[in-house]
Amino acid sequence: MKYVDEFRQHKLAKQLAAAIRDEVDTGRSYHLMEFCGGHTHAIFRYGVQDLMPGNVRFIHGPGCPVCVLPVGRIDNAIHLVEAEDVILCTYGDLLRVPASGRNSLIKVKAAGGDVRMVYSTQDALNIARENPDRQVVFLAIGFETTTPPSAVALQQARREGLKNFSLFCNHVLTPAAIQNILESPEVREIGSVAIHGFFGPSHVSSVIGSRPYEFFAEEFQRPVVIAGFEPLDVMQSVLMLIRQLNQGRYEVENEYTRVVTREGNQKAQRLVAEVFELRRSFEWRGLGLVPYSALKIKADYQEYDAEQRFQIPVSPAKEVKGCECPAILRGAKRPTDCKLFGVVCTPDNPMGSCMVSSEGACAAYWSYGRFRQPEAKSASTEVAI
């Protein structure tokens, strides 16, 4: 398969593993955070961690849009179904994420609520066209990658004069979350979480480009390498990060040049800017309130804003007792540090979002059986790809 198999070649993997072993300084540690859940799954699926020297450790970050949505926003979506009698459209992963009181959207659906799984904003628009007598709300989540389709949907709804379609906006922004992590007490003051470099997200960077990360590299003295999702992408990015750290450089480098440019997709950026604007603050699961980390619908489009159309109460929400998803999303703990992992929390019976989402760290540990294996092996480990 062209453009996929080329990035999974055994011979090149062996060469990269050897190059990484040659470059690491055995007297120091390299703690590298993959912000994106896609990288986490690539690392586990292809056994990349097993190819690393023992002093190279991957830290799993909050780059899963389903995982970072706070419980309160899911409660809000449930309120729309139960109290406002709307047709709620959303992506499949969100259906099983626990809300307050062990409730969830799929339980609401089972009880008769009109919750519908869709694959795109266009599906939600079609449902609105087919049900002109019902209000249809699209529960929009995701990073910069999924924001342009939401903007297109709102523009399309306005052009068609759809009066029964609105969007419950939960789109969040990557750069603000990275800054929040680097400014957190666990990283800057307590030092309990060591992060020496970042893998820049792939899909997000295809939209925003690599330039927004330049601030972090310079201000926080952390190198960033935009990495693709294939195993050789990840390994090459590890090598680039290690070289920067060894040379005392803190720059933004782009390994994913076949997709990402410094400026990004400017057409998509303009589209988003026409419809959305920054929120002053937004809650992230695991990170708390993060300033200027999310988008809201501009006043010009407020008739399509579910938060303007409906009365959505603000109510306190609590995580499932014992669930360590918040600490896992901050990189402070691993899935196996959670007492619920694999005991009462499994993909069939998830207690937290990290086990539900296909990009969640707990789902990655479970899917590829990493919790059954020892931690990272020594530098002499044979290539497993």
Side-chain angles (χ1 to χ4, degrees), residues 15-38:
Q15 292 174 357
L16 278 171
I20 291 169
R21 288 197 299 271
D22 290 342
E23 297 250 2
V24 295
D25 179 347
T26 56
R28 65 182 298 179
S29 297
Y30 303 86
H31 291 184
L32 311 175
M33 174 174 271
E34 74 272 6
F35 185 91
C36 179

Side-chain angles (χ1 to χ4, degrees), residues 75-368:
D75 289 345
N76 293 157
I78 290 173
H79 168 83
L80 287 170
V81 178
E82 294 181 335
E84 302 290 350
D85 192 30
V86 307
I87 300 174
L88 186 83
C89 302
T90 190
Y91 299 124
D93 278 359
L94 269 177
L95 294 180
R96 297 197 306 135
V97 176
S100 293
R102 299 297 307 278
N103 201 1
S104 67
L105 286 168
I106 200 165
K107 289 181 179 178
V108 171
K109 179 179 176 64
D114 203 342
V115 179
R116 304 189 189 185
M117 187 183 78
V118 295
Y119 293 99
S120 70
T121 55
Q122 295 303 307
D123 290 345
L125 282 173
N126 286 335
I127 291 172
R129 295 180 187 113
E130 294 163 358
N131 297 272
D133 298 328
R134 299 281 309 280
Q135 288 292 324
V136 176
V137 176
F138 176 65
L139 173 52
I141 67 162
F143 296 99
E144 292 87 339
T145 319
T146 55
T147 309
S150 292
V152 170
L154 293 191
Q155 291 185 337
Q156 201 166 347
R158 185 157 78 170
R159 277 199 304 273
E160 296 179 18
L162 280 177
K163 302 298 184 184
N164 65 327
F165 178 81
S166 58
L167 189 142
F168 182 33
C169 183
N170 295 276
H171 286 299
V172 291
L173 304 173
T174 307
I178 294 178
Q179 182 171 346
N180 179 273
I181 291 170
L182 290 171
E183 289 178 337
S184 69
E186 288 158 324
V187 174
R188 297 199 86 170
E189 298 171 14
I190 303 174
S192 57
V193 179
I195 301 174
H196 303 126
F198 282 93
F199 296 94
S202 310
H203 292 154
V204 165
S205 302
S206 69
V207 176
I208 67 173
S210 63
R211 186 168 62 173
Y213 308 104
E214 292 172 0
F215 167 77
F216 308 113
E218 181 178 351
E219 178 68 18
F220 295 97
Q221 301 284 283
R222 300 290 199 285
V224 178
V225 173
I226 312 298
F229 285 124
E230 295 301 326
L232 295 188
D233 287 319
V234 175
M235 294 180 71
Q236 176 64 32
S237 300
V238 170
L239 184 60
M240 294 165 72
L241 285 169
I242 287 173
R243 282 177 177 165
Q244 283 205 51
L245 290 167
N246 287 347
Q247 295 168 8
R249 292 187 293 115
Y250 308 102
E251 302 169 2
V252 177
E253 294 181 324
N254 182 12
E255 185 276 337
Y256 202 34
T257 53
R258 62 190 185 276
V259 174
V260 175
T261 64
R262 182 171 181 269
E263 303 301 329
N265 186 332
Q266 296 183 54
K267 182 177 181 180
Q269 294 168 24
R270 287 194 296 271
L271 180 63
V272 170
E274 289 173 7
V275 177
F276 298 103
E277 62 185 8
L278 284 174
R279 291 181 190 263
R280 292 181 64 86
S281 182
F282 191 79
E283 182 184 358
W284 291 54
R285 189 185 299 235
L287 302 185
L289 292 174
V290 181
Y292 302 106
S293 65
L295 297 174
K296 65 178 182 179
I297 297 170
K298 281 185 171 180
D300 192 34
Y301 282 85
Q302 66 177 357
E303 64 179 310
Y304 300 101
D305 186 347
E307 292 179 81
Q308 299 293 328
R309 180 172 294 186
F310 303 101
Q311 294 293 321
I312 301 178
V314 178
S315 55
K318 294 182 178 179
E319 299 284 346
V320 174
K321 187 177 181 180
C323 175
E324 297 285 6
C325 276
I328 292 168
L329 290 167
R330 295 195 303 272
K333 291 188 176 181
R334 292 188 169 202
T336 47
D337 295 330
C338 179
K339 294 179 180 178
L340 304 184
F341 179 85
V343 181
V344 295
C345 184
T346 65
D348 291 334
N349 184 41
M351 295 290 112
S353 56
C354 296
M355 184 63 88
V356 177
S357 172
S358 59
E359 294 186 20
C362 295
Y365 269 65
W366 182 273
S367 298
Y368 303 112

